[in-house]
Amino acid sequence: MREISCELYQENNLLSARAVESYISQIENFEEWQRAITESGAFARCRQILKDRVLWGEDYEGPNDPVILIKELRSAALKRHRQHVGNIHRNYGREVGLISKRGTIKLRYAPNDSLLRTLIFATVERRMELNQFLNQLYQRYNLIFSDKEAEQFLSKNEFDKKAFQANSHRLEQRLGSLGLLQRLSDGCAYIINPYNQKFHDKY
């Protein structure tokens, strides 16, 4: 479970950098660029393309070579990305309580108690059966806690039914300790919204 959580975090964390690289590769493969590199004055034409498309190249002081020019753009774009947008997934994830190093030395998806409460308040009006709640989290937010949702998302090689069943059981215990879950006499576990429950009980 923790390994999968770490892997998915790392994979998602790289998506924005891959998008930057993909966009620059598209510029390089555009017919306009490919035509420009074969023409007289190729460097000036290619630099103008970059100025027009990504507002970059005015301060470039390297060799007058389109290959090095696009290489420098890629390097500069990825460096700036790591300093700014590349941090959003990690920083925002930690701020909202979705990402932490709890139980590992690597960052992974591991929601804290505050986020779990928020998800319950946003999903459960008064009371909801646990499995229905977990399915709602998957349908709304692509969050996976139990084997039923994991089986829909993971490949057969990645899916470990017992591990996800154990994870679901740990979540049930955790929510119970927070006063957000009750197991009734019918044997079913229910997620409860204590604030809305109190409101309805009062009025």
Side-chain angles (χ1 to χ4, degrees), residues 73-114:
L73 168 62
R74 183 176 282 107
S75 176
L78 289 173
K79 179 180 179 180
R80 183 172 177 80
H81 173 77
R82 287 191 296 270
Q83 295 171 339
H84 300 283
V85 177
N87 296 319
I88 287 179
H89 176 239
R90 181 187 67 226
N91 292 346
Y92 283 16
R94 295 183 82 164
E95 286 296 321
V96 302
L98 177 61
I99 294 169
S100 76
K101 289 185 178 180
R102 190 175 71 246
T104 68
I105 59 173
K106 298 179 181 178
L107 288 172
R108 67 185 181 97
Y109 294 122
N112 63 19
D113 292 347
S114 179

Side-chain angles (χ1 to χ4, degrees), residues 117 120-121 124-126 178-181 191-201:
R117 287 191 182 94
I120 288 174
F121 299 157
V124 180
E125 182 176 354
R126 292 187 65 189
L178 294 172
L180 301 172
L181 180 143
I191 302 295
I192 58 172
N193 182 335
Y195 295 102
N196 220 12
Q197 187 83 25
K198 290 177 182 178
F199 177 83
H200 282 283
D201 290 345

